[in-house]
Amino acid sequence: MTQAILDAVQQAMASPWIYLVLFALAVLDGFFPIVPAETSLITAGVFAASTGAPDLAPVIAVGALGAFVGDHVSYVIGRTANGRLRGGRRTGKAFAWAERALAERGGLVLVVARYIPGGRTACTLTMGAVAYPRRSFALFDAVAAVSWAVYSGLIGYVGGAAFEHDPLRGLLLGLGIAVTITVVVEAVRYLRHRRAGSRKEAHRSEPALAASD
């Protein structure tokens, strides 16, 4: 059963249509984050190393272009639906986080948010809602999209090269690396947020202590 699935995936990866599929998935992932665009790019990278098809360079190129287009779709959605996004149960917290981060760090947060689950969509929506300048958005988004595509494709390629004759293990290795990096990023972000909260509490308590003295 597993071999049959691998054979089917390999045939799909060898098809010239794979580049269009990867592009479409990357576009959809920009405003519909449950689409497995990153997993697809990693998988393509694995087979690029282990079987030679598809080619890694076009995989990275279409992934970056698709991500760039999808983020701009999300930006436009943010411009037209900012009120509903702020009040939504699922998007409210992510929207608030992205807005705070954007106010603190500007467009660079867009590059970082590309690697945070759900963060990139919240960020692009927020930038559209607050009417962030389009030229600046396009510049930072180009950096984010290209770096993300290179990162995803190369992770898969490393996994495929490590297990050249076993694409399944190569894929598991690539996905494992991606998950590990995501966990580390989330852990660092959580610790920084916690420290920032502790500092705020300390600053708040100082006037109270001074008043009691």
Side-chain angles (χ1 to χ4, degrees):
M1 182 66 177
T2 302
Q3 187 59 46
I5 295 175
L6 284 175
D7 290 342
V9 173
Q10 184 173 346
Q11 289 180 3
M13 290 295 164
S15 170
W17 292 101
I18 187 60
Y19 302 110
L20 180 60
V21 172
L22 292 173
F23 171 79
L25 290 174
V27 171
L28 290 173
D29 186 51
F31 55 92
F32 195 58
I34 65 172
V35 174
E38 185 171 308
T39 302
S40 300
L41 283 182
I42 292 174
T43 303
V46 169
F47 280 89
S50 59
T51 67
D55 292 328
L56 182 62
V59 165
I60 292 175
V62 298
L65 182 60
F68 184 81
V69 173
D71 288 346
H72 277 73
V73 173
S74 180
Y75 178 92
V76 171
I77 293 174
R79 290 290 294 266
T80 58
N82 62 328
R84 284 173 288 178
L85 292 171
R86 289 176 183 273
R89 292 182 180 180
R90 295 183 177 180
T91 59
K93 292 183 179 180
F95 192 96
W97 167 82
E99 192 168 22
R100 289 195 302 269
L102 184 60
E104 293 173 2
R105 305 179 192 89
L108 286 176
V109 72
L110 178 59
V111 180
V112 177
R114 248 284 143 199
Y115 301 89
I116 299 174
R120 58 177 172 262
T121 304
C123 186
T124 51
L125 288 170
T126 301
M127 295 178 99
V130 301
Y132 193 84
R134 286 182 182 269
R135 288 186 179 181
S136 296
F137 175 81
L139 174 63
F140 284 108
D141 191 50
V143 175
V146 171
S147 65
W148 170 79
V150 171
Y151 154 82
S152 300
L154 288 183
I155 282 180
Y157 194 85
V158 168
F163 295 97
E164 186 173 354
H165 301 292
D166 193 341
L168 180 58
R169 289 189 180 183
L171 178 58
L172 292 176
L173 176 59
L175 293 176
I177 295 173
V179 170
T180 300
I181 293 175
T182 300
V183 170
V184 170
V185 170
E186 284 294 296
V188 171
R189 192 166 68 91
Y190 171 78
L191 291 174
R192 291 186 63 181
H193 179 73
R194 189 172 181 178
R195 288 178 182 177
S198 299
R199 290 175 183 174
K200 289 181 181 179
E201 289 296 327
H203 286 310
R204 289 176 184 176
S205 62
E206 286 177 2
L209 291 174
S212 63
D213 292 341

